């Protein structure tokens, strides 16, 4: 694919964002979507996941907005520490899983620790919930500050996943549009 149409690159976290997840609803709604497909969604391996993310970004060869959820937020940050690609125009970083915290995340995610805290080289928005079991609101806000991201508290939405029953998550679509407008300036 080689065109100027901005692609939304949907990047699920642990488990792969099933059919009732807002990422799946968006994948079905938007025509300009590419979705990462990891070999094993339940046994995350940072090296393998990074390779798949980078290969997908290179193949797209067009403007890209990253749409990452949970563990995929850490993946995006690790990717930016070792790769760069001028096609990345922005990132929507939703419900970052605190991979450094055994209190908030399962041991299987420790391979993605330590969470990178470098400033991102493109515009980004961190979206967090007040009652997310995978990250405290304060920690999500800390990450946003370190990454140079805008921060949006969406209230009591859990882990902003399928259990949150957001379906098309219209509020998230508005936030995404805000990010896209920022990247077009």
């Amino acid at each position: 694919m080689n065109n100027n149409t901005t692609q939304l690159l949907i990047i699920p976290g642990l488990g792969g964002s099933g059919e009732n997840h807002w990422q799946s609803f968006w994948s079905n709604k938007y025509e300009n979507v590419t979705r990462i497909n990891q070999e094993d969604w339940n046994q995350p391996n940072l090296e393998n996941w990074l390779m798949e993310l980078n290969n997908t970004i290179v193949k797209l060869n067009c403007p890209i907005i990253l749409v990452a959820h949970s563990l995929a937020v850490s993946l995006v940050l690790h990717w930016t520490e070792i790769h760069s690609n001028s096609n990345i125009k922005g990132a929507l970083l939703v419900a970052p899983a605190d991979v450094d915290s055994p209190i908030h995340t399962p041991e299987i995610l420790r391979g993605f620790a330590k969470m990178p805290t470098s400033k991102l080289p493109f515009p980004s928005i961190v979206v967090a919930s007040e009652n997310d079991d995978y990250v405290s609101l304060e920690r999500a806000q800390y990450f946003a500050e370190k990454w140079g991201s805008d921060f949006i508290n969406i209230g009591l939405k859990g882990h902003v996943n399928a259990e949150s029953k957001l379906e098309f998550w219209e509020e998230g679509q508005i936030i995404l549009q805000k990010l896209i407008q920022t990247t077009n300036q």
Side-chain angles (χ1 to χ4, degrees):
M1 178 186 304
N2 188 357
N3 59 43
N4 291 325
T5 303
T6 300
Q7 286 287 302
L8 299 178
L9 181 54
I10 303 284
I11 314 167
L14 183 67
S17 297
E19 65 182 30
N20 293 320
H21 195 288
W22 60 268
Q23 285 186 317
S24 297
F25 280 87
W26 288 15
S27 293
N28 293 326
K29 176 179 181 171
Y30 296 113
E31 292 179 10
N32 59 327
V33 167
T34 299
R35 186 177 173 124
I36 290 284
N37 188 20
Q38 298 292 353
E39 186 176 317
D40 190 340
W41 289 111
N42 298 313
Q43 298 293 322
N45 176 289
L46 180 57
E47 185 177 317
N48 294 345
W49 283 32
L50 280 169
M51 187 171 54
E52 185 61 38
L53 176 58
N54 191 61
N55 289 345
T56 302
I57 289 169
V58 169
K59 283 179 195 168
L60 283 175
N61 194 28
C62 65
I64 300 166
I65 300 284
L66 305 173
V67 180
H69 177 259
S70 190
L71 182 59
V73 173
S74 175
L75 177 66
V76 166
L77 270 293
H78 283 290
W79 182 87
T80 62
E81 293 214 319
I82 56 175
H83 297 284
S84 66
N85 188 308
S86 62
N87 286 332
I88 306 298
K89 301 304 178 193
L92 181 62
L93 306 170
V94 180
D98 191 348
V99 295
D100 299 334
S101 172
I103 295 168
H104 290 99
T105 54
E107 188 61 32
I108 197 165
L109 303 190
R110 238 34 89 229
F112 283 67
K114 179 161 181 64
M115 179 71 88
T117 54
S118 302
K119 187 175 187 312
L120 289 169
F122 42 75
S124 58
I125 299 175
V126 172
V127 178
S129 164
E130 294 174 17
N131 62 337
D132 187 342
D133 290 337
Y134 289 84
V135 67
S136 69
L137 189 65
E138 295 76 21
R139 186 84 160 140
Q141 193 161 14
Y142 165 81
F143 289 144
E145 289 169 11
K146 289 294 189 181
W147 301 334
S149 305
D150 289 343
F151 179 78
I152 299 177
N153 173 350
I154 58 169
L156 302 172
K157 299 281 191 321
H159 190 46
V160 197
N161 58 6
E163 286 75 38
S164 301
K165 298 183 180 359
L166 299 172
E167 295 186 351
F168 287 100
W169 190 32
E170 289 80 2
E171 179 184 23
Q173 291 178 55
I174 292 168
I175 296 168
L176 175 64
Q177 288 306 314
K178 176 184 171 192
L179 176 64
I180 291 169
Q181 288 170 356
T182 300
T183 66
N184 288 334
Q185 293 177 352

